[in-house]
Amino acid sequence: MNAQSVAISLDLINRHYQEPNRNRFESKYFWEELYKLFPAAGFRSIEIPYEPVWQFGGRSGVPMNRYCINTKYGSAASYREFLAGCGVEQVTGVTFDPNLFMRNDNIHFYFGATGHFAGEALDHAVDLGADYLAISPSPFYGRITQYHPDLENEKEAFTDRTVDLLSGLASKAEERGIKLVLRNEYWSLFGAERLDPLLARLPASVLLDLDTANLFVAGISATDFLEAYSGRIGCVHLTDTSFKDTTGIWKTPNPEFPQDHATQVFRDPGTGSVDLVGFAQALDRHGYQGPVVSSARQTRDPFRALLRTRALLNQIVN
């Protein structure tokens, strides 16, 4: 793995729990300063989470959907030109999380809104010249059961509709020349070993995201996962944690912040218990040549996280 080609995910910025305030993080000047710091920390490519919520916020400077970028820069092409001027050469990928749309007991609303905005996210990824769209195949399991307590009895129907949604999206992605990648999150209805039955029903063009921290939480070796799904890995996320789910936290409404545990799940890369240097060596042994993204989601200090991540990557020699 070439440590110099690793992208940084913009999920290291989160308005919910970072200082100093939301207004700053919604400002165009904040992001335009941040873009210049990425190459200063050795990152020349980024990953962008697609967040539809900003589409309803007006003239937000947050670059996480098509509306905001078109409002602030005129077009995705102009935005990419601006990034290049800052030293950011590529948008490696776009991610999409449907949690926002699991908000009531109307399952038709969930699938309708998810399908629409996943299509928007795919178009956004194409406009930005991204390699992949990585989609979470379901909301938090616990979030679903909040509104659909009979989920276990309705799992087959939920899975059928998920297969239809993802299959349609996969066809569009293939037509547009972009990879559709499933995120393997421990809190998902289709997380960990529960992913296999879903994957078996999807087109062969649908690939997998290997997320090291999510696998660690679920008690799965990232190297074993790499071996088991060799040839079907669409992207790799270098994430870190020291948390293991031994009490069914994945079934709770907010598994990123486990109840009854004085901890958050994710840590800045290199500060948790995942052997990321050893895993990078495993990627080399398997000849993996696809996208690799470092993610410091839940970080309290994104600027320190940038340097911590680069310090970790500097331990990877090639």
Side-chain angles (χ1 to χ4, degrees), residues 268-303:
D268 293 355
T271 65
S273 301
V274 180
D275 180 10
L276 293 173
V277 174
F279 176 68
Q281 295 169 351
L283 289 176
D284 288 339
R285 289 196 301 272
H286 283 79
Y288 176 77
Q289 298 294 320
V292 179
V293 181
S294 58
S295 167
R297 62 185 298 166
Q298 289 194 320
T299 187
R300 304 296 184 185
D301 185 340
F303 308 105

Side-chain angles (χ1 to χ4, degrees), residues 8-65:
I8 186 80
S9 177
L10 296 192
D11 65 5
L12 87 166
I13 304 297
N14 192 301
R15 70 195 187 281
H16 295 299
Y17 45 73
Q18 287 173 345
E19 297 293 339
N21 57 60
R22 174 172 171 169
N23 287 340
R24 182 181 180 220
F25 292 140
E26 290 186 12
S27 300
K28 184 182 178 186
Y29 79 85
F30 169 81
W31 291 93
E32 293 191 345
E33 179 183 23
L34 184 65
Y35 298 142
K36 297 172 184 176
L37 298 182
F38 291 143
F43 297 98
R44 296 193 171 275
S45 53
I46 60 174
E47 177 190 78
I48 300 181
Y50 190 87
E51 296 185 357
V53 64
W54 300 109
Q55 184 162 329
F56 313 120
R59 300 185 301 274
S60 170
V62 180
M64 295 182 180
N65 64 58

Side-chain angles (χ1 to χ4, degrees), residues 49-121:
Y50 190 87
E51 296 185 357
V53 64
W54 300 109
Q55 184 162 329
F56 313 120
R59 300 185 301 274
S60 170
V62 180
M64 295 182 180
N65 64 58
R66 301 176 82 195
Y67 175 81
C68 292
I69 284 181
N70 289 339
T71 299
K72 290 296 185 181
Y73 297 94
S75 67
S78 296
Y79 176 67
R80 291 171 65 183
E81 288 178 10
F82 178 83
L83 289 179
C86 295
V88 177
E89 299 167 356
Q90 182 184 10
V91 176
T92 299
V94 172
T95 65
F96 179 78
D97 180 349
N99 263 296
L100 175 66
F101 307 115
M102 182 52 66
R103 57 195 308 166
N104 54 44
D105 61 0
N106 185 343
I107 199 67
H108 306 298
F109 170 83
Y110 165 76
F111 280 104
T114 297
H116 172 77
F117 284 104
E120 282 282 301

Side-chain angles (χ1 to χ4, degrees), residues 131-260:
D131 183 78
Y132 62 85
L133 170 67
I135 184 171
S136 303
S138 89
F140 299 152
Y141 178 95
R143 187 172 178 87
I144 303 174
T145 57
Q146 275 190 308
Y147 300 107
H148 303 276
D150 59 344
L151 175 62
E152 287 300 323
N153 295 329
E154 300 296 328
K155 188 185 295 184
E156 184 175 350
F158 190 97
T159 301
D160 288 345
R161 294 192 68 171
T162 301
V163 169
D164 289 344
L165 188 156
L166 293 175
S167 296
L169 197 61
S171 296
K172 292 178 183 177
E174 200 165 16
E175 290 171 4
R176 307 292 298 278
I178 194 168
K179 299 173 187 173
L180 183 66
V181 179
L182 294 189
R183 306 190 78 179
N184 188 350
E185 297 158 326
Y186 79 95
W187 53 62
S188 171
L189 176 63
F190 308 107
E193 71 284 347
R194 302 180 299 280
L195 184 65
D196 284 337
L198 176 68
L199 190 63
R201 296 180 59 183
L202 294 173
S205 63
V206 178
L207 304 177
L208 290 174
D209 172 29
L210 192 163
D211 185 301
T212 52
N214 270 285
L215 291 172
F216 185 93
V217 172
I220 299 172
S221 162
T223 300
D224 290 348
F225 188 91
L226 177 63
E227 292 174 352
Y229 295 100
S230 179
R232 205 167 182 179
I233 304 296
C235 65
V236 168
H237 279 88
L238 300 179
T239 50
D240 211 347
T241 185
S242 290
F243 180 72
K244 285 193 175 182
D245 189 2
T246 58
T247 58
I249 294 295
W250 71 275
K251 290 186 175 182
T252 60
N254 194 10
E256 281 199 72
F257 296 89
Q259 61 187 22
D260 303 323

